[in-house]
């Protein structure tokens, strides 16, 4: 009996210990849920429920002008009617084009962030290199000459103040090193977006803005030069710009086919890259100044493509899978698009300048009207966005990536006699591939969803809808006109676009990073 009672006592104590342990786990779980409950409740109330509700709205005809306390009309389920109407509406395609056009500044912003990070990663004082005594007086002399020139040109006081502030920044960086530059480069991220937009709106003012005050006389000189230049010289300049763009295309096509023959890019990667490389030639049909150029540029591009297809697809030295190197081909194509589009734009700009200067309404070429002009509003916003993006979080990410590049790789490149560019291209750039991939993904997502604050604050979407993006279109349809069902449909179309492009980036961009 004594042994049985002792066994019962042991079993009872074990059960009691298990219950105590279970109660501790339960209490810890309850405590954890209690701490997480504000976040969970907030996520459900402000994210999940509105998300589901907007999906339901997208298939309804809810309109605040028809369904309110003064009208008893019932909300009806309309199926895909909102989506069909959206794809048939010309404004949707126009605003989608505006969104994509504004995203064309993203490669310049990423490149600017990388260049800024590389510069800020170096010792900028110059004391160690023995040139400090030359750099500082030279910077002071340069800033002084610029200030005297502005005073002599009769520049506005605000313009002189801005140039003086830039000069003091340059001199402070030379005196106190890269910490000053890092702080000032990141300064736009500390300021409120609306405040920055209002400031730039004042800077872009056609009558009183310092931007036009600085550009007034240089633009007049350019106008006089264009007026004095024979028309055949201007036409030759337009053709030269287009031919340079075609020359770049020829080099890129040759590079892509060489990568394909060497097994660096698969067939699908080659097709995708060729599609993007050929885009500038077909955009030339819309942008080229003359009918002959509209016909010649795409014709020459097609001839170049057919020539490479006929000569380079016959043999292949190193076969690979069809999806191999898709990311590499895509990056080559994206980098090449920038100069090709630039030279096509230069050709159109030369023709546009010639047309303006020959108009009898202008005795001299006027500066751009920026936000008040249909043609200049989007470039003005892109310039402001570039200024804000160069010193953004992308710069900090690149700075962190540069600090993690193994120094032994750079030392090995120096021993092998690599030039600074070769060292960057073959050592630094591959090490930054994961960071670049992340930045590209986030930039694309932000570009498709962005543009609302700028348009709302600076232009109200004008002039004539030239700065209205998809996000501002959603706002107008939902809150300005009250068509909540239609606005929800636009939102879900935008979500599908963002999700699809992000999945493509993750599918093929990660392969580029791994390659």
């Amino acid at each position: 009996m004594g042994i049985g009672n002792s066994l019962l006592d042991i079993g009872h104590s074990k059960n009691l210990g298990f219950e105590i342990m279970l109660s501790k786990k339960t209490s810890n779980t309850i405590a954890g849920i209690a701490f997480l409950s504000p976040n969970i409740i907030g996520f459900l109330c402000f994210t999940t429920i509105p998300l589901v509700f907007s999906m339901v709205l997208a298939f309804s005809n809810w309109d605040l002008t028809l369904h309110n306390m003064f009208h008893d009309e019932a909300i009806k389920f309309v199926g895909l009617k909102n989506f069909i109407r959206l794809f048939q509406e010309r404004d949707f395609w126009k605003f989608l084009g505006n969104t994509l056009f504004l995203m064309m500044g993203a490669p310049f912003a990423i490149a600017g962030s990388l260049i800024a990070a590389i510069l800020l990663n170096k010792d900028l004082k110059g004391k160690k290199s023995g040139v400090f005594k030359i750099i500082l007086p030279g910077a002071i002399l340069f800033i002084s000459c610029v200030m005297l020139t502005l005073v002599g040109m009769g520049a506005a006081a605000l313009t002189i103040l801005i140039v003086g502030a830039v000069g003091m920044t340059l001199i402070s960086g030379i005196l106190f090193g890269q910490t000053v530059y890092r702080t000032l480069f990141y300064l736009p991220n500390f300021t409120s977006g609306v405040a920055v937009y209002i400031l730039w709106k004042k800077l872009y003012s056609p009558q009183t803005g310092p931007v036009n005050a600085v550009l007034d006389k240089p633009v007049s000189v350019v106008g006089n030069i264009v007026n004095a230049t024979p028309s055949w010289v201007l036409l030759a300049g337009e053709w030269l710009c287009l031919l340079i763009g075609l020359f770049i295309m020829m080099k890129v096509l040759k590079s892509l086919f060489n990568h394909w023959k060497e097994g660096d890019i698969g067939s699908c990667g080659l097709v995708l890259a060729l599609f993007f490389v050929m885009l500038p030639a077909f955009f030339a049909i819309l942008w080229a100044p003359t009918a002959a150029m509209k016909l010649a540029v795409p014709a020459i591009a097609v001839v170049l493509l057919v020539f490479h297809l006929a000569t380079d697809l016959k043999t292949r030295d190193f076969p690979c899978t069809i999806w191999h190197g898709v990311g590499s081909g895509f990056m080559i194509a994206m980098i090449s698009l920038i100069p090709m589009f630039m030279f096509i734009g230069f050709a159109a700009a030369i023709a546009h300048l010639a047309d303006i200067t020959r108009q009898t309404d202008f005795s001299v070429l006027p500066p751009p009207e920026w936000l008040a002009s249909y043609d200049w509003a989007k470039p003005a916003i892109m310039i402001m966005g570039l200024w804000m993006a160069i010193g953004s979080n992308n710069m900090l990410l690149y700075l962190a990536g540069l600090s993690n590049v193994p120094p032994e790789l750079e030392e090995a490149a120096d021993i092998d006699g690599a030039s600074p560019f070769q060292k960057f291209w073959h050592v630094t750039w591959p090490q930054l591939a994961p960071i670049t991939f992340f930045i590209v993904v986030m930039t694309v997502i932000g570009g498709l969803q962005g543009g609302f604050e700028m348009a709302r604050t600076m232009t109200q979407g004008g002039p004539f809808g030239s700065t209205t993006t998809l996000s501002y279109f959603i706002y107008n349809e939902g809150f300005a006109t009250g068509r909540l069902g239609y606005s929800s449909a636009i939102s879900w179309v935008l979500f599908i676009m963002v999700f699809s492009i992000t999945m493509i980036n993750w599918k093929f961009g990660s392969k580029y990073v791994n390659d």
Side-chain angles (χ1 to χ4, degrees):
M1 291 293 292
I3 296 175
N5 290 333
S6 62
L7 291 175
L8 289 174
D9 292 338
I10 293 172
H12 180 70
S13 62
K14 286 184 177 180
N15 290 334
L16 183 60
F18 178 75
E19 290 177 359
I20 294 173
M21 186 182 299
L22 184 63
S23 63
K24 287 184 178 180
K25 289 183 178 179
T26 304
S27 62
N28 290 337
T29 303
I30 294 173
I33 293 175
F35 280 113
L36 291 174
S37 58
N39 191 22
I40 295 173
I41 294 172
F43 181 78
L44 290 175
C45 293
F46 299 107
T47 302
T48 305
I49 295 176
L51 192 67
V52 175
F53 187 58
S54 69
M55 181 179 291
V56 176
L57 283 183
F59 299 95
S60 71
N61 67 338
W62 192 5
D63 190 334
L64 293 180
T65 61
L66 300 176
H67 310 101
N68 52 57
M69 60 184 298
F70 302 104
H71 297 81
D72 57 355
E73 185 175 343
I75 300 174
K76 298 179 181 179
F77 177 79
V78 296
L80 298 176
K81 185 177 179 180
N82 287 331
F83 296 93
I84 296 173
R85 173 189 168 190
L86 174 64
F87 290 115
Q88 291 177 345
E89 186 170 353
R90 294 182 61 183
D91 283 345
F92 168 73
W93 299 106
K94 176 182 178 180
F95 301 151
L96 175 61
N98 291 342
T99 305
L100 297 177
F101 187 93
L102 292 175
M103 289 177 63
M104 290 175 63
F108 297 96
I110 295 174
S113 298
L114 177 59
I115 294 172
I118 292 173
L119 293 176
L120 295 178
N121 197 46
K122 299 181 181 297
D123 179 24
L124 300 179
K125 277 189 177 182
K127 292 181 179 179
K128 295 181 180 179
S129 59
V131 297
F132 178 74
K133 295 181 179 179
I134 300 176
I135 294 177
L136 182 60
I140 295 175
L141 179 62
F142 174 75
I143 297 300
S144 301
C145 292
V146 172
M147 297 285 287
L148 290 174
T149 303
L150 290 175
V151 173
M153 293 172 59
L158 182 59
T159 304
I160 298 174
L161 178 63
I162 293 174
V163 174
V166 173
M168 290 301 298
T169 301
L170 176 63
I171 296 172
S172 300
I174 296 173
L175 286 173
F176 303 108
Q178 58 190 5
T179 304
V180 174
Y181 285 138
R182 289 186 179 186
T183 304
L184 293 175
F185 267 67
Y186 197 67
L187 191 61
N189 267 28
F190 291 120
T191 55
S192 172
V194 174
V196 171
Y197 302 147
I198 294 175
L199 173 62
W200 275 90
K201 187 176 181 180
K202 297 295 183 182
L203 294 176
Y204 279 137
S205 175
Q207 289 77 30
T208 60
V211 175
N212 276 6
V214 173
L215 293 178
D216 189 16
K217 292 191 176 181
V219 168
S220 300
V221 172
V222 172
N224 294 332
I225 294 174
V226 173
N227 271 327
T229 304
S231 58
W232 66 269
V233 175
L234 296 176
L235 184 62
E238 297 168 17
W239 277 106
L240 179 62
C241 292
L242 294 175
L243 290 176
I244 292 175
L246 289 171
F247 177 77
I248 296 172
M249 178 181 292
M250 180 183 68
K251 290 294 185 181
V252 174
L253 289 175
K254 183 178 179 180
S255 174
L256 287 173
F257 279 100
N258 286 338
H259 281 294
W260 179 81
K261 292 171 67 175
E262 294 171 359
D264 296 330
I265 298 177
S267 298
C268 289
L270 178 65
V271 172
L272 180 65
L274 292 177
F275 170 78
F276 285 105
V277 169
M278 297 299 292
L279 281 180
F282 293 100
F283 272 96
I285 299 175
L286 301 175
W287 297 346
T290 64
M293 295 177 184
K294 294 177 186 293
L295 179 63
V297 173
I300 296 174
V302 171
V303 169
L304 291 174
L305 178 61
V306 172
F307 171 78
H308 282 286
L309 290 174
T311 57
D312 294 332
L313 291 183
K314 294 180 180 179
T315 58
R316 191 174 189 183
D317 300 329
F318 302 98
C320 63
T321 59
I322 60 173
W323 291 107
H324 179 72
V326 171
S328 300
F330 180 76
M331 290 298 295
I332 293 173
M334 290 297 103
I335 294 173
S336 67
L337 284 179
I338 298 173
M340 286 191 287
F341 274 121
M342 283 179 58
F343 281 103
I344 294 175
F346 289 157
I350 293 173
H352 189 58
L353 281 176
D355 292 338
I356 293 178
T357 54
R358 291 190 177 96
Q359 291 178 5
T360 57
D361 297 339
F362 300 113
S363 57
V364 294
L365 184 65
E369 294 185 355
W370 299 113
L371 299 176
S373 170
Y374 183 87
D375 296 321
W376 282 99
K378 284 194 289 289
I381 291 178
M382 291 172 68
I383 293 171
M384 181 192 66
L386 181 64
W387 171 81
M388 297 178 65
I390 287 178
S392 64
N393 293 328
N394 296 344
M395 183 189 71
L396 297 184
L397 290 172
Y398 275 129
L399 274 172
L402 289 170
S403 63
N404 291 327
V405 175
E408 55 269 17
L409 295 180
E410 296 183 352
E411 293 173 0
D414 290 332
I415 294 173
D416 291 338
S419 65
F421 177 77
Q422 290 174 332
K423 188 165 63 173
F424 166 77
W425 186 254
H426 296 288
V427 177
T428 306
W429 177 246
Q431 297 294 320
L432 297 176
I435 295 175
T436 303
F437 170 66
F438 173 77
I439 290 175
V440 168
V441 171
M442 298 307 296
T443 301
V444 171
I445 294 174
L448 289 173
Q449 294 179 337
F452 168 75
E453 297 89 350
M454 300 179 188
R456 177 68 176 170
T457 306
M458 302 177 70
T459 62
Q460 297 291 314
F464 305 107
S466 61
T467 58
T468 300
T469 59
L470 288 180
S471 58
Y472 192 60
F473 184 41
I474 293 170
Y475 168 81
N476 281 336
E477 291 296 327
F479 298 98
T481 62
R483 292 190 284 265
L484 296 179
Y486 187 54
S487 177
S488 298
I490 304 172
S491 301
W492 278 99
V493 169
L494 178 60
F495 166 76
I496 293 172
M497 291 171 54
V498 172
F499 181 79
S500 302
I501 294 176
T502 303
M503 288 298 101
I504 293 173
N505 281 334
W506 280 103
K507 173 70 175 178
F508 301 115
S510 59
K511 291 184 178 180
Y512 168 74
V513 172
N514 295 329
D515 291 343

